[in-house]
Amino acid sequence: MDVLKELSRVLEERKSQDPQKSYVASLYTKGLDAILKKIGEEATETVMAAKDGNPDKIVYEIADLWFHCLVLLAHQGLCADQVMAELQRRFGLSGLEEKASRGSKTGQG
Ligand SMILES: N=c1c2ncn([C@@H]3O[C@H](COP(=O)(O)OP(=O)(O)OP(=O)(O)O)[C@@H](O)[C@H]3O)c2ncn1[C@@H]1O[C@H](COP(=O)(O)O)[C@@H](O)[C@H]1O
């Protein structure tokens, strides 16, 4: 199962749910500033976990951070696929640079 896809689908569904019954719906109701505040908090908690050198906590906090970034994307009418496509584009570029540098070392273009 593609977790990002499934979660993105749930986040869309939550747009029409009761904020009393859903954490995500409650964030949408509170609005952009509340979502951004959570992202700021989770980013800070990630930094603190890394400074503590606690691997389990780092993973846990990054999951919280990514989750709230997905909520932000959904709130803004965007989706995780767009971020994945941007990462893929950059990876493609770096792949080309790597090939070019390998080619220049071996005398191939
Ligand atoms: N992945 C998550 C997820 N990760 C983190 N959280 C919530 O994000 C919040 C993290 O905030 P904190 O770490 O500051 O913890 P807290 O002090 O309890 O939070 P606050 O009271 O300060 O908001 C907690 O309330 C967590 O429950 C999540 N809430 C929901 N999901 C997913 O989203 C789906 C929809 O959730 P609902 O909208 O609640 O049905 C769920 O099925 C899950 O798959």
Side-chain angles (χ1 to χ4, degrees):
M1 182 183 65
D2 185 334
V3 176
L4 278 186
K5 268 205 169 60
E6 269 303 297
L7 188 51
S8 297
R9 186 188 56 73
V10 170
L11 297 183
E12 276 307 309
E13 273 179 14
R14 292 299 188 264
K15 287 182 178 175
S16 56
Q17 290 241 326
D18 182 350
Q20 305 285 342
K21 294 184 184 151
S22 151
Y23 172 71
V24 174
S26 77
L27 275 182
Y28 292 146
T29 299
K30 287 178 193 161
L32 180 61
D33 284 357
I35 298 169
L36 297 179
K37 185 164 176 273
K38 287 308 292 182
I39 290 177
E41 284 171 14
E42 303 306 348
T44 302
E45 283 167 22
T46 299
V47 169
M48 282 159 54
K51 292 297 277 183
D52 288 348
N54 182 336
D56 289 344
K57 193 97 172 88
I58 293 170
V59 170
Y60 187 89
E61 296 302 346
I62 289 181
D64 270 354
L65 179 58
W66 286 11
F67 167 71
H68 285 91
C69 287
L70 290 172
V71 173
L72 174 64
L73 286 169
H75 182 263
Q76 297 294 297
L78 301 166
C79 67
D81 278 354
Q82 288 169 272
V83 178
M84 299 310 280
E86 175 60 18
L87 288 173
Q88 184 74 55
R89 188 188 67 79
R90 295 179 195 179
F91 189 69
L93 287 179
S94 71
L96 287 178
E97 279 164 22
E98 211 176 294
K99 258 192 229 159
S101 89
R102 256 190 268 136
S104 69
K105 276 181 203 147
T106 59
Q108 293 162 355

